[in-house]
Amino acid sequence: MCIRDSINMGGEHYGSNSSDLCDIVLVSGYFIFGPTAVTIFLIKTLLAYILSWFGATSTIHRWIWLRNFLFNLGTPLVAILAGLAVYGAAGGQYPLTGLNANQLLAAFLALVVYWMVIALLMLLWWFLLYRSRLLETTADVELNGNSQSNLDQVVLYRKSFIFLIAAYIPGVFGILAAVLYTRIGIWIYLFFFLGVFFVSLLARRMSFAMMTSQQKTRELDQLEQLGREIIAAPADASNLPTLLEQYLPGMLSYQQFSVRLFDGHSLLNLPQDRPVFDEQLWSYIQENPTPMESRPGEIPPWSQVMITDRIVIMPILSTAGQEPIGAICLVQEKYIFSEIYFDMKPILQVLAAQIASALHAA
């Protein structure tokens, strides 16, 4: 069961971290069966990544899959073996049979070493990512003169690091689970994890509801500000593209975002260095002016090629006769380990109505 947390990645950019409570099961297994329980971790990791492989629909996604697989397999494995080595050196026994001071001290010491190794490896990994991203940004500035900072990477890594380390802390309850198994029996052990399952299920639902609420709040706030700016703007809608470029990045997450009128005039294309969408797409939308969405792995109706990212389309209808005058096209990158898809149609529908109103006034 997954727990998610929304994080501000700098400015108006937001993302999420996720973790689960499987560490409690794994920690209990280490203190019951010893090093042989490492196979539980290996099986769990392999199954998770084998299933996620089918979500890797492009070459870059497969490279990301391989990178994450090696990191998420190697980092905990090194930490587990280090913790078990310390546990044995401190006089720990398998299975953990009691809560006396010596055994508890050995168990807690093993967990501390386990967490510290994970923390150090994460810091090293994120430092390398940060250096790589910094070099890319520097090269972009030198080649293209683009001095705008993409994201505050230090803030991102710091918040992600705190969340992921905190996600390992519930593993301390694995000590209690191991004692329940050895002193009372497997049925109490299973009953304990049944409770953990329902708690994690509740936490998952609450975290998803919180993320949805935060996303909707950001959308409404930016929409309100955009609406006020449109009302106060000149009636000829000459600065509408500027207003859209100013408010949309803080309102929506996107890989590419385009607003185009069917008379050939483009109001917005973000990022500006991305090529505009194919004419075949706009022709299809003009002939079929209905909201639509295509997800990774699907073949959209305007093409014969399978897409690797999420595409959401919203037509812009005239205020007077509800005739199609343009469309909004949003592309979101497919993250192979993410299962969250916010419903983008309501916010795009309101945005399309605001654009149509501004054009009608002009």
Side-chain angles (χ1 to χ4, degrees), residues 104-156:
L104 280 180
L105 179 62
F108 278 112
L109 186 59
L111 281 182
V112 169
V113 171
Y114 171 60
W115 295 332
M116 288 180 61
V117 172
I118 287 179
L120 290 174
L121 292 176
M122 282 184 177
L123 283 174
L124 176 61
W125 176 254
W126 280 334
F127 174 76
L128 295 175
L129 289 179
Y130 173 74
R131 290 288 299 172
S132 175
R133 185 64 177 268
L134 187 63
L135 292 174
E136 290 177 1
T137 303
T138 303
D140 185 50
V141 171
E142 294 176 351
L143 293 176
N144 304 319
N146 181 15
S147 60
Q148 183 180 4
S149 175
N150 294 323
L151 293 174
D152 187 348
Q153 295 296 306
V154 175
V155 174
L156 169 62

Side-chain angles (χ1 to χ4, degrees), residues 164-333:
L164 293 177
I165 291 300
Y168 282 99
I169 292 179
V172 71
F173 291 99
I175 298 176
L176 175 60
V179 174
L180 290 176
Y181 177 86
T182 55
R183 297 294 293 271
I184 302 178
I186 188 172
W187 293 111
I188 296 297
Y189 178 80
L190 295 177
F191 181 78
F192 173 81
F193 280 111
L194 181 63
V196 171
F197 172 81
F198 283 110
V199 169
S200 61
L201 177 62
L202 178 62
R204 180 182 185 275
R205 291 184 178 274
M206 291 178 63
S207 62
F208 181 76
M210 180 188 67
M211 288 186 61
T212 303
S213 176
Q214 291 175 341
Q215 173 70 19
K216 296 303 179 185
T217 300
R218 289 193 296 270
E219 291 175 357
L220 292 175
D221 179 65
Q222 294 294 310
L223 272 177
E224 181 182 3
Q225 295 184 45
L226 175 61
R228 290 176 179 176
E229 293 286 351
I230 289 177
I231 294 174
D236 60 1
S238 58
N239 64 343
L240 181 58
T242 302
L243 292 177
L244 293 176
E245 186 175 356
Q246 178 181 351
Y247 285 98
L248 285 178
M251 185 187 308
L252 303 167
S253 63
Y254 60 86
Q255 185 180 32
Q256 186 172 2
F257 192 97
S258 290
V259 181
R260 177 173 169 175
L261 303 181
F262 292 140
D263 61 4
H265 183 58
S266 176
L267 295 179
L268 185 69
N269 186 57
L270 295 176
Q272 296 180 356
D273 57 349
R274 289 291 296 268
V276 296
F277 290 99
D278 190 88
E279 290 293 334
Q280 189 176 4
L281 168 63
W282 299 110
S283 299
Y284 180 85
I285 301 172
Q286 188 172 7
E287 296 174 0
N288 303 271
T290 58
M292 64 187 72
E293 177 179 341
S294 297
R295 296 198 175 186
E298 298 179 354
I299 298 178
W302 62 84
S303 173
Q304 301 299 319
V305 180
M306 183 180 68
I307 59 175
T308 59
D309 297 304
R310 181 192 188 193
I311 301 178
V312 184
I313 295 171
M314 181 61 61
I316 302 174
L317 306 178
S318 64
T319 303
Q322 294 295 296
E323 296 294 330
I325 60 174
I328 299 172
C329 187
L330 170 73
V331 178
Q332 287 184 321
E333 184 178 359

